[in-house]
Amino acid sequence: MTLLLLVVGLVALALGAELLVRGASRLALATGLSPLVIGLTVVAFGTSSPELAVSIGAARDGSGDIALGNVVGSNITNVLLIIGVAALVAPLVVARQLVRVDVPLMVVASVGVLLLAGDGVLGSGDGVLLVTALVAYLVLQIRLGRREPQAAGTAPEPVRARGMSTRIRDLAFVAAGLLLLIVGAGWLVDAATVIARRFGLSELVIGLTVVAVGTSLPEIATSVLAVMRGQRDLAVGNVVGSCLFNLLGVLGITALVAPDGIGVGASALHFDMPVMLATAVACLPIFFTGHCINRWEGGLFLAYYVAYTAYLLLDSAGHAALPAYSAIMMLFVVPLTVATLAVVGTRAIFTQGARRG
């Protein structure tokens, strides 16, 4: 039964992603909003619905570590795994709005959540602040989308006259796609959690890995399919928008409905949440370089996701190789990557300055 849920869940995700991308792309043209704004709002928030459902359910059941680990792990997965895989499929176009507005807001939101969690709990007051910030972000996106419909960096396309029946069909595609994504992700998470618990993983590690990847599967399916269909701006917008919704919406709403708020353990506060912030900050130089994410940059993100997951598994198992592995990461890999990003970012700044001159 567990294997059957895994297979059926994968099929539901694939079909749901196809319907969602097709319907959202057509709605973008019909409403005058850019595909980027649709990706940052409708698609991103829709594909983050599994995170919301899982986090609320876990918090109400007293599994705060799963609720928090789901959001933190999903954001790390969104940036490192999804962008990494999508960029390996094809280089990704990065709209100027993402570099100037949305990625900096993602960094600010990550810092804000880390500060709010400093006292060891995300309570109802913190939830109000986060949800209010989400509403402000939605208003900003609608205004930007109406003001600059072609800000996504895609070539303008003719908007054909569309009847009410056509729009209803597109909305039905989006709704059916979201439903299949949510149901499919739920089946996958349930099956994977059963398997993980049989291997003795802790709730925090399950939330950071199995549940995070499971609830991020809609984003993975949607972004990869969007790239294959040529909607590369929608793919990146989906990831960034999902990260913002996870931080502001999922954590905010869960903190409001959880009886005792969301508990934040020392491990999450001092390691996993800083890693989440670091991945958000890493997007700035990567996205800024030519407004394109190349395959080697996608490979770098993917390699870091594998390294982070390996650390979690070694730490959970109390493996003897953990100290040596941590030393190698801190002394060699991390400084080398920081230096590479600094050089790439500096070169991009000078190149753009020379072009303007």
Side-chain angles (χ1 to χ4, degrees), residues 143-219:
R143 298 184 66 174
L144 289 175
R146 291 294 184 184
R147 187 180 306 169
E148 301 180 32
Q150 299 303 330
T154 56
E157 300 181 38
V159 181
R160 301 173 183 174
R162 303 172 67 86
M164 181 61 66
S165 61
T166 304
R167 294 197 181 188
I168 292 176
R169 182 196 64 187
D170 294 337
L171 286 171
F173 278 175
V174 171
L178 288 175
L179 179 61
L180 286 172
L181 288 172
I182 294 171
V183 173
W187 287 337
L188 277 171
V189 169
D190 290 342
T193 302
V194 170
I195 296 173
R197 281 177 173 158
R198 288 179 181 175
F199 283 94
L201 297 178
S202 67
E203 282 194 349
L204 179 60
V205 172
I206 291 174
L208 289 166
T209 55
V210 177
V211 179
V213 173
T215 55
S216 292
L217 283 173
E219 287 92 334

Side-chain angles (χ1 to χ4, degrees), residues 106-124:
M106 182 173 68
V107 174
V108 171
S110 300
V111 173
V113 169
L114 185 59
L115 293 176
L116 291 175
D119 59 355
V121 64
L122 290 170
S124 57

